[in-house]
């Protein structure tokens, strides 16, 4: 039932103060048709709705490329402390030193752990980080009078946001094929590079779940051609504290703080796509970053402005990104501390490789069977699809019945019938084993009783939904049909 | 390491299964020279208790000043139930609802959100949010360029009384696609756009005209006239609205003869704490005909195999994970959690609750302005109708006055000097429904004192 | 799965500081066998467990005599504000004026709404309030040298805590029968009263859901015999703001703040059984109450002590009752305000009478069919039990399947096969109608397909549980069988 | 009236169904003269926003002083997850689990709680809580009188170093049943009970001997010797324990040859905020043989009709709703929510976490005591081993010194004058693991200053 269907016209009393000075023709003629319910009805409705979700707090959620790890509760309680939650973005510095100090330290820690020279917390998600990064690459070339570089190279394994971002920045996109072993096809890359090359966007480890071994060579090739290297940090969890994008030769990176640094995904967001840059890109950084002024024996933190970064690509948002997310990431990093960083990548890698090993033993086919996985790995079910007519999507839906959120399906696009599985370091062996057991059970069902798999899920609030109808007979909002 | 649940025994068993001796072997493919050393600039880990102590100290350092700034972020009351439910694990720690059957909670909530946004703005359809108000404007402009069938222009008229950071962020975001934002001056007396200013642009080709209602000065635009003018000149109309104000002002869908084509804005006034500027969320609503040009996630109602009602992400062919370089936008992660809070907020308050908050804020600002304008040397700058935010002018340097007011624990307003030097020592003030009469009187006292001392 | 079954020995690192000065023979030899789990495992375990509960926030919960109404969320957030949650009970007055001011006002508001002359917030639940009240009655008689009064009268409809309390205070209990119309049998009462009578404990409206119309006569009878009148305020919701126990002649009352004033029941508690007294019992009040000292133009709040109430029955707890509950009740009362009080009783009464009327129309038999219900009413299913072999308990279990918490069953003891239904004022007509519809459905099932009812519930995490086994083969705690 | 969900239309329909004209008719049976007038002493209702403002002000008035008192309530750190999960609606707003099938969450949790309490105290069985530490002592005493088969006495030996309000509350609670609490003096040097003091009682008949470990002064009793003495004299042993201390101290079940018979105490140190003294909860654990004498709810594990494991309230025949005047106690509502928090708290911390908190608190208090005893005129009172709480003596009036320390925002200790006048200007101090070195030094500074000024 929709909240609107609980609504009773006339329940809420209006207690509207006089709208002094607002002419009648600028006013609303009829009240908005928001629901009229009691507080209990609202609380009960949304509490019940919430239970119709899978989440980290309730389920193992091995969604590849999404790093669904535990979101520490203390980060939430700190972000919601009245001093932080109630702070106006334009509050004077006098009322901001505590908050800005945290942000400054966050920048510093991100520099250290990524090997970059400067960091901006402004981007509000990974895709906006990509935008900022590519916009800086463009600003850099423009500043060098290098206007002919109109192309961004993107491996075909890349996340959809990469090509979409390049387009948004006014670039054309050239896709680079990937080898069966997961590495970039260097010959194809060589052939694609030219004076038109503005840069390359790369995820490493790639979305195929393997480390790009030729990264140093690739970096050299791009740099020699005058291009810059962009690191899509969605997979930073795989290398955190062990390998630094800056050391690999990247010029600009984004880090999905909502993944690697454990801020909650909230059913869709918010995120933070903080970006780090090498020295040559510092002048182009977006506004705003936090600057520490020292003097008279006192430190003073303040937001950077246009004069600090005269060649800045400018603002990305109305204020300063998503500080509520940044506070959570800051808390997480301080809890982990120096030594905790590399434990993240170690244990996420251990978990992924253990799962891959066990699943291979159980007869599943890994997409790249002969290499170590990074923090995630791919299973391809093309055999099952062909022989048993049970697809990756069927496996995914059946997993829901067995109490596990499905891995990412059909991504990356180049592996047929794939499941991209990312357990993360915060999951226990017990849960990994449970998931593998569920997969084995589904395999047996697929062999003996395929219908139970192909018609799954059976235990969710709804069965498979008619997506075609959804797109054709658009029903995107409730409209009053009848007043009560 | 409370976040890693492995015992030594388990680690050994796992390594054995993989067939390696130690975890480090798993990184064997990584060139040695790429291995990081000790991260000396990262402090050692803290316990949760130490972290809480540290942040309690940092918070105390900033205190809890009384806030009289709006300028795009408003200190409205949020019922306690809102965030207590929003932060339930099932909402808080779910991903984007890719597996619809295991995400009906979030999907239905977004559908309800979309319904609320459309009734509030008077538009036909809404998406599930973009990043914030500024990004919603940028996306709306990109959308208008794609959608306007009568004009191939990439030029957009953007009044100078539109939020200045919205304008500059939009510039950053659309600039790569050669879209040109053209300033429209505001009237010096009213702070508003008048038709004469627009007439200067007649005959030229524009994809869209932007209108912010209320505008950055808090003044109310003649939205009907501007909308009709834009449509007459083949431009689409993009309304930037304050969604709380929409509860009492004419909704964007009803502006002029045909209504605005796209309404965007920042959802913050509907349940998001100020939180230093975010997370908020960007509202995106439009006419039905434009839905396929809209960026971001959209949820549709449909049925399952048994004919039972359910909800799914729909029209995904617009999105980057399907369309890649040809997507309507690169947005992927949006501001879901704040949308969740906002939906609960609107459900608890209802239209009446929003109207009450809006009208009480308006009344409080009116009362503040009346009282401060009684002070020698303080006056209102514009003579137009306004909603809950107003520009006042001081006879002393604004920066110094605002500084002095901080000594009374008061944030006295937003200094307009950087963005509107032509206004002189002008500040933008706002007193939401949370400001008490006592606090308003403290403001008056603090301002009086500051003016006498500076 | 128990949390212990997720436990892995060796997971938690010990970081124990030296136990300076504690001799070895006083120390623990082996660590306590608490579970060793990660924070995520704990969060997930308890989040999942929580969803195996019905609650007000998820279900209509018409548990008679328990007043399960909406617990405003703001009361919780205020009680957990660091200034209140972090306040030490023995904090000096200087750091206590804000808190004590609230407590003082709470006492005053409770006096006003009940018509009593003094109020103590000390008792930690209804039963402790009863204890305090009966102890004061005893102290009063003792102070008067009236040592022969050794008996407390209790109607047979009373809650079990009433006779249990009287026993705890050293009294013997005499039960007074109730008439079929719900009123106390005055003749029996007359016969029972004597010089041995210390007092009478009465709930009004009674647990039968009707108002005791003869209350003034009863009060007179008891008082004339030298006894005192105790009011069990569990049902205060029925008369709040409309009728005051003090005006009815009661000498001492307890109010279950966790019922009438909407503090959460928390799966078992905590509560508050604040007690109000008439003037003659003030000297006997328990410690502690809050006293306002005025002087030098300043008000100063402080806890009362022995010298304020020299004849006090003494302390009831280590500190001052349950302030965290009291804050919530205070918030609730201030939100309701003067006019809100009587709306509580009006709408809880309206809801109960509407349900009773509709259920009677649907063919159910009310226990007291010819009178108005108070805020609750009783349905008796003795006909169904006899004719269809479907009991009240079967109806109750089947309701769970249909998404409604069962009403109180088999209480009060004098009505056979009864359901005591208390909807409270915060439930909407929509939910009342839904409940009635469910009852009608069950009635039809009982007639046509009784097994579905007698074997219910079918959709809960477990079916009916073997209570006999539970009591015979006691399994009251987990013990390690095997280390992992 | 946001908590009443009725529209006018619905009210009318409902009245019509009942067959009355107005709501007031439903109160027709109530004698007119009993109808209340206007409740003029109750202020008019506030909005949630106003209420929040009011309580924010009241809270600010009390501030957040640094606390060095224990005396039965300890300022330990509680992980953020604890109350975020505890206040989930399903735990927070459920009733006592009468309908087992719809309450498996709470029932399983209580079973887990009982398991944790028994391992912590070393006892066989635990109930689901009574009100608080004081009431747990009273109930334990009543229980011992019912349970002691070797003695028909109603006399109980209660040392003077047992928490004084526990003693006085217990007196209140058991007094009606003619139970007599007999003082046992403590040793002036150690603050503890020594066997000589007990020997004076030999030959008399007692139902039980109470031992608090650590005792109210923080000193550690020779629990083995006292337990054995009690058992040799046919008395049961009731241990009052600090459950956090149980993580490092010998558990009550292992005291002496046979162990304590009943262990009680206050659960506050395990996850309950200080909250001005409550809600906390009373621990009740005992030997298996005594379980049918135990008051309060008990959860048992059993199976359902399909043989599936499940949990129910059991042994209800002890309780008042069944046994009425013959029940083991009148307790009905207990402290369920705090038990919930405590169970989550112990699960997150584990034994190691509790040990860490206990040992760090002990270390902090030791450090504090060492530093203050270096001040001229300050000395330790007792020479016994102690746990995390200690009595110190001042050479100036304690009350005045503590008053002066409040000016430095410090709560300096609990003044023992009212309860132990024989100790002179003695105060009981405690520094939990939450007290930082800086705060301890501030204490030392404040005490030094106060002693010099008073
Ligand atoms: C590899 C990769 N790159 C980029 C992104 C985009 O990040 P965001 O969703 O925060 O915009 C994602 C997130 O899904 C990703 O997995
Ligand atoms: C009529 C009646 N009296 C007394 C009580 C006892 O109150 P408490 O459970 O708070 O001890 C109750 C609660 O169940 C009750 O319903």
């Amino acid at each position: 039932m929709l909240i609107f269907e609980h609504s009773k016209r006339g329940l809420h009393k209006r207690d509207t103060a006089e709208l002094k000075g607002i002419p009648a023709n600028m006013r609303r003629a009829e009240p908005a048709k928001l629901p009229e319910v009691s507080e209990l009805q609202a609380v009960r409705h949304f509490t019940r709705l919430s239970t119709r979700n899978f989440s980290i707090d309730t389920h193992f959620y091995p969604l590849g490329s999404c790093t669904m790890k535990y979101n520490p509760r203390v980060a939430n309680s700190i972000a919601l402390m009245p001093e932080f939650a109630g702070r106006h973005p334009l509050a004077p510095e006098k009322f901001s030193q505590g908050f800005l100090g945290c942000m400054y330290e966050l920048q510093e820690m991100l520099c250290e752990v990524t090997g970059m020279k400067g960091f901006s917390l402004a981007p509000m998600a990974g895709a906006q980080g990509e935008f900022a990064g590519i916009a800086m690459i463009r600003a850099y070339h423009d500043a060098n009078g290098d206007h002919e570089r109109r192309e961004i190279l993107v491996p075909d394994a890349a996340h959809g946001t990469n090509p979409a971002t390049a387009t948004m920045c006014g670039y054309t996109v050239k896709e680079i094929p990937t080898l069966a072993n997961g590495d970039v096809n260097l010959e194809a890359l060589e052939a694609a590079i030219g004076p038109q090359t503005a840069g390359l966007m790369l995820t490493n480890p790639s979305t195929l779940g393997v480390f790009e071994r030729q990264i140093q060579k690739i970096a050299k090739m791009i740099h020699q051609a005058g291009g810059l290297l962009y690191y899509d940090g969605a997979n930073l969890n795989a290398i955190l504290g062990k390998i630094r994008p800056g050391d690999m030769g990247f010029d600009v990176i984004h880090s999905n703080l909502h993944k690697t640094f454990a801020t909650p995904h909230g059913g869709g967001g918010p995120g933070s796509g903080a970006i780090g840059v090498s020295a040559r890109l510092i002048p182009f950084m977006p506004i705003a970053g936090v600057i520490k002024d020292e003097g008279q024996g006192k430190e003073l933190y303040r937001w950077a402005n246009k004069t600090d970064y005269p060649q800045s690509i400018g603002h990305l948002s109305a204020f300063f990104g998503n500080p509520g997310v940044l506070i959570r990431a800051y808390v997480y990093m301080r809890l982990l501390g120096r030594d905790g960083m590399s434990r993240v990548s170690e244990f996420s890698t251990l978990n992924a490789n253990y799962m891959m090993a066990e699943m291979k033993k159980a007869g599943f086919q890994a997409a790249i069977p002969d290499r170590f996985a990074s923090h995630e790995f791919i299973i391809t079910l093309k055999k099952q699809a062909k022989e048993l007519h049970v697809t990756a999507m069927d496996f995914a839906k059946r997993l829901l019945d067995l109490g596990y959120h499905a891995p990412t399906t059909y991504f990356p696009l180049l592996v047929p019938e794939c499941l991209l599985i990312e357990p993360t370091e915060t999951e226990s062996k017990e849960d990994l084993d449970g998931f593998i057991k569920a997969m084995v059970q589904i395999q047996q069902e697929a062999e003996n009783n395929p219908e139970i798999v192909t018609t799954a899920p059976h235990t969710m609030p709804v069965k498979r939904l008619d997506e075609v109808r959804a797109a054709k007979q658009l029903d995107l909002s409730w409209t009053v049909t009848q007043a009560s | 390491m409370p976040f890693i649940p492995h015992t030594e025994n388990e680690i050994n068993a796992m390594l054995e299964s993989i067939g390696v001796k130690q975890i480090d072997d798993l990184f064997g493919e990584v060139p040695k020279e790429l291995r990081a050393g000790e991260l000396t600039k990262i402090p050692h880990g803290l316990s949760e208790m130490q972290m809480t102590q540290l942040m309690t100290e940092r918070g105390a350092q900033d205190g809890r000043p009384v806030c009289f700034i709006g300028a795009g972020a408003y200190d409205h009351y949020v019922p306690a139930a809102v965030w207590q439910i929003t932060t339930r694990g099932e909402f808080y720690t779910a991903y984007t609802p890719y597996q619809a059957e295991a995400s009906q909670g979030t999907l239905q909530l977004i559908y309800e959100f979309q319904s609320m946004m459309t009734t509030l703005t008077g538009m036909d359809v809404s998406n599930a949010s973009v990043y914030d108000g500024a990004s919603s404007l940028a996306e709306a402009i990109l959308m208008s360029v794609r959608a306007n069938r009568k004009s191939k222009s990439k030029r957009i008229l953007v009044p100078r009384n539109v939020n200045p950071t919205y304008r500059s962020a939009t510039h950053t975001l659309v600039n790569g696609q050669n879209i040109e934002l053209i300033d429209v001056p505001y009237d010096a007396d009213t702070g508003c756009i008048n038709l004469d200013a627009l007439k200067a642009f007649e005959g030229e080709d524009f994809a869209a005209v932007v209108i912010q209602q209320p505008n950055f000065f808090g003044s109310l635009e003649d939205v009907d006239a501007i909308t009709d003018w834009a449509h007459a000149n083949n431009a689409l109309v993009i309304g930037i609205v304050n969604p709380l104000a929409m509860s009492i002002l004419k909704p964007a869908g009803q502006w002029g003869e045909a209504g605005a084509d796209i309404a965007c804005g920042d959802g913050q006034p509907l349940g998001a704490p100020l939180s230093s500027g975010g997370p908020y969320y960007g509202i995106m609503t439009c006419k039905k005909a434009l839905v396929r040009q809209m960026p971001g996630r959209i949820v549709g109602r449909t049925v399952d195999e048994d004919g039972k009602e359910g909800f799914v992400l729909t029209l995904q062919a617009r999105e980057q994970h399907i369309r890649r370089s040809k997507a309507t936008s690169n947005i992927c992660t949006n501001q879901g959690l704040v949308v969740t809070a906002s939906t609960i907020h609107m459900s608890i308050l209802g239209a009446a609750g929003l109207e009450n908050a809006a009208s009480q804020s308006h009344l409080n600002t009116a009362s503040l302005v009346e009282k401060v304008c009684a002070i020698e040397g303080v006056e209102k700058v514009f003579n137009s109708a306004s909603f809950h935010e107003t520009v006042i002018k001081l006879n002393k340097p604004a920066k110094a006055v605002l500084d002095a007011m901080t000594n009374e624990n008061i944030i006295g307003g937003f200094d307009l000097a950087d963005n509107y030097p032509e206004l002189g020592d002008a500040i933008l003030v706002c007193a939401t429904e949370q400001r008490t009469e006592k606090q308003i009187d403290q403001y008056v006292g603090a301002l009086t004192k500051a003016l006498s001392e500076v």
Side-chain angles (χ1 to χ4, degrees), chain B residues 20 34 93 110 136 141-142 237 267 282 317 320 362 400 403 435:
Chain B
V20 295
L34 289 184
T93 73
I110 294 176
S136 76
I141 284 172
L142 293 171
V237 170
Q320 33 66 34
H362 185 62
D403 269 355
R435 295 291 75 79

Side-chain angles (χ1 to χ4, degrees), chain A residues 49-50 52-54 266-268, chain B residues 90-92 94-97 102-112 299 311 336 339-340:
Chain A
L49 264 197
S50 78
R52 295 159 78 95
N53 264 5
F54 277 31
Chain B
E90 296 95 326
F91 283 138
Y92 188 68
Y95 204 78
T96 301
S103 311
Q104 287 296 300
T106 288
L107 286 164
Q108 179 175 332
L109 183 141
I110 294 176
Y111 179 88
E112 293 175 350
V299 169
F311 303 87
V339 162
T340 305

